[in-house]
Amino acid sequence: TQLLEQSPQFLSIQEGENLTVYCNSSSVFSSLQWYRQEPGEGPVLLVTVVTGGEVKKLKRLTFQFGDARKDSSLHITAAQPGDTGLYLCAGSLSGSARQLTFGSGTQLTVLP
Amino acid sequence: NAGVMQNPRHLVRRRGQEARLRCSPMKGHSHVYWYRQLPEEGLKFMVYLQKENIIDESGMPKERFSAEFPKEGPSILRIQQVVRGDSAAYFCASSRTSGGEKLFFGSGTQLSVL
């Protein structure tokens, strides 16, 4: 059983559409991170959220940390083909980078 | 990803051989983490090292796997007597401290065991 459940597992949309992906857990995390990974490459950190209820924006990407710090969402507005990739959430139970727990990811494909 | 160097990018081994994966952290980073990624799965923590010390190896299989981060040179993940189930992408990450800050990942080594 995954400590962090991501949904959907796969998502294919047309350019210009909006989408939301989710990261859920029954555990409380000190912090939660979102990464994007492209084929044949390592994950690249997009954002870290620390405070319950926190919302962070990165251009067309909006990240939210649940009030109880058990879940998070990533919303993309007007998706572009360049957004295609594997989106991973990762939680830290201890507040430390060591032993980040990763979800299994959402594979996003944005069709032109 | 810039700065964390992993080699080789691809490694093919036959069952029973040894695999040695190398990772040079970003300049100024003294904390190294190894993760393993299987197809359609997230990254699984294996081991966390600082220079010359293994800090946390709770994710490492008890047999055949070992890791080191010597005073000089790259961190090495060593897998002895590889089996087909060891086939995976192995990623190294580094950070300046262990205090929950940003991890920088390398591009990974794809290990294929024939």
Side-chain angles (χ1 to χ4, degrees):
Chain A
T1 305
Q2 286 271 62
L3 188 60
L4 280 168
E5 297 284 347
Q6 288 192 243
S7 62
Q9 188 176 359
F10 298 97
L11 184 59
S12 182
I13 61 170
Q14 293 293 136
E15 182 176 2
E17 292 184 352
N18 302 331
L19 67 112
T20 302
V21 298
Y22 300 92
C23 176
N24 295 296
S25 177
S26 57
S27 299
V28 177
F29 290 97
S30 299
S31 64
L32 197 138
Q33 300 180 330
W34 283 92
Y35 291 80
R36 192 177 97 182
Q37 184 179 20
E38 298 190 21
E41 297 296 331
V44 176
L45 180 66
L46 298 174
V47 77
T48 300
V49 286
V50 178
T51 307
E54 182 176 2
V55 176
K56 281 193 174 179
K57 292 194 174 186
L58 184 67
K59 296 184 181 178
R60 293 177 293 102
L61 279 60
T62 302
F63 305 85
Q64 185 162 11
F65 201 11
D67 291 340
R69 290 185 287 130
K70 293 182 179 182
D71 53 80
S72 181
S73 64
L74 158 59
H75 182 80
I76 302 179
T77 303
Q80 299 176 1
D83 295 328
T84 293
L86 179 67
Y87 288 83
L88 296 160
C89 65
S92 172
L93 292 170
S94 63
S96 169
R98 62 197 278 183
Q99 276 211 46
L100 273 180
T101 299
F102 279 82
S104 56
T106 292
Q107 179 61 54
L108 171 66
T109 302
V110 182
L111 303 169
Chain B
N1 283 353
V4 179
M5 303 301 294
Q6 288 189 250
N7 67 82
R9 287 296 306 271
H10 301 275
L11 183 60
V12 179
R13 286 287 178 265
R14 295 191 182 279
R15 280 180 296 171
Q17 291 184 320
E18 178 180 288
R20 290 172 69 89
L21 288 62
R22 296 174 188 79
C23 169
S24 296
M26 279 189 70
K27 187 177 180 180
H29 287 192
S30 59
H31 300 256
V32 167
Y33 312 77
W34 285 93
Y35 285 82
R36 177 165 61 178
Q37 187 175 36
L38 294 169
E40 297 186 8
E41 291 190 18
L43 286 85
K44 305 293 185 191
F45 168 80
M46 299 182 74
V47 62
Y48 161 49
L49 310 101
Q50 294 179 25
K51 282 285 186 181
E52 300 186 275
N53 287 303
I54 297 174
I55 307 302
D56 184 346
E57 56 181 349
S58 58
M60 287 273 274
K62 295 289 185 264
E63 296 178 351
R64 302 189 297 108
F65 285 71
S66 62
E68 62 177 11
F69 189 15
K71 186 176 181 180
E72 300 292 336
S75 175
I76 306 287
L77 179 66
R78 183 182 177 206
I79 311 172
Q80 295 177 288
Q81 299 175 324
V82 296
V83 300
R84 288 213 174 118
D86 297 333
S87 296
Y90 291 83
F91 289 95
C92 166
S94 73
S95 66
R96 191 178 301 275
T97 72
S98 66
E101 66 173 70
K102 188 172 182 175
L103 283 185
F104 292 84
F105 281 85
S107 297
T109 293
Q110 180 64 52
L111 173 64
S112 299
V113 180
L114 304 179

